[in-house]
Amino acid sequence: MNIILLGPPGAGKGTQASRLVKDHAMVQLSTGDMLRAAVKAETPVGLEAKAVMEAGELVSDDIVTRLIDDELTQIGPVRGVIFDGYPRTAAQAESLEGLLAKHGRKLDHVIELEVDEDALVDRITGRFTCAKCGEGYHDRYKLPRTPTLCDVCGSDQFKRRADDNEATVRQRMAEYRAKTAPILPFYEARGLVKRVDGMAPIAEVSAGIETILAG
Ligand code: AP5
């Protein structure tokens, strides 16, 4: 099964993708994670992407499409894929069609997480992750069981993203409205779009996604 998770910044795409990885042994392809890794490693892609990401704008279509192509080659045909944060423009949606054909995959669902944008600023500015294993937390909605230790790996090191400040979040949302939301009709015309209330508690959102996958 191959699915796209769509929704504005903070809608819960990463949260739901990690759960699908655990429960269904799918592979999460997050262009945001790939780009952050490239920025950290100071690769040519990372050097080009850094300022764009910090401004809350979109990195070039060519770069992200190449990243996805490389990952699909490495994964091979067996495991299902969750596209998290890709495609984000009409050009990327078109490129994805070519990539799916090239790698012998077909799209099963495009799941849109429907959210209230005002609540997302609070979600994003409050989130942090374990610096060691990447488990996600939130200052109010999901704190570690022992306050200073990661539930999963026990690390006491946590980090926050450079683009998770209010001004950048608002720019990322504007990019979503202008460039990403307009790709939905392309998938709607093929009957692939399913919607889940992304404002519900995390477990309920997961249950909604499960119903779609089982249907
Ligand atoms: P990317 O990393 O993709 O960021 P994003 O789309 O802005 O999405 P986020 O990761 O911020 O949010 P999410 O929906 O995954 O939410 P999460 O699950 O973390 O992209 C970053 C940048 O990279 C872009 O701005 C761009 O520059 C570049 N980029 C990436 N892909 C690109 C592409 N294809 N083309 C061009 N440029 C690209 O949840 C947020 C918080 O809320 C968490 O703390 C979580 O615990 C909490 N939460 C989640 N669900 C719930 C819930 N139901 N109730 C309460 N809290 C919840």
Side-chain angles (χ1 to χ4, degrees), residues 67-80:
L67 290 173
I68 291 283
D69 191 13
D70 291 347
E71 288 291 326
L72 287 173
T73 303
Q74 277 182 34
I75 295 163
V78 182
R79 293 167 71 194

Side-chain angles (χ1 to χ4, degrees), residues 10-77:
K13 304 178 296 291
T15 302
Q16 296 302 326
S18 332
R19 207 246 337 142
L20 287 164
V21 167
K22 281 181 205 140
D23 293 357
H24 293 277
M26 296 174 82
V27 180
Q28 174 186 8
L29 292 188
S30 158
T31 39
D33 287 349
M34 291 173 206
L35 289 166
R36 277 184 289 282
V39 169
K40 194 172 173 203
E42 298 183 336
T43 65
V45 163
L47 294 175
E48 192 176 330
K50 188 171 187 284
V52 179
M53 293 174 78
E54 283 175 2
E57 290 164 5
L58 293 184
V59 174
S60 84
D61 293 331
D62 284 353
I63 286 183
V64 288
T65 297
R66 223 177 321 126
L67 290 173
I68 291 283
D69 191 13
D70 291 347
E71 288 291 326
L72 287 173
T73 303
Q74 277 182 34
I75 295 163

Side-chain angles (χ1 to χ4, degrees), residues 8-15 31-32 35-36 53 57-59 64 85-86 88 92 123 127 137-138 141 161 163 172 198 200-202 205:
K13 304 178 296 291
T15 302
T31 39
L35 289 166
R36 277 184 289 282
M53 293 174 78
E57 290 164 5
L58 293 184
V59 174
V64 288
Y86 181 92
R88 252 177 156 98
Q92 291 178 25
R123 269 199 198 174
R127 83 175 153 189
Y137 296 98
H138 191 279
Y141 308 120
R161 273 169 47 176
D163 60 349
R172 284 156 59 196
I202 293 173
V205 179

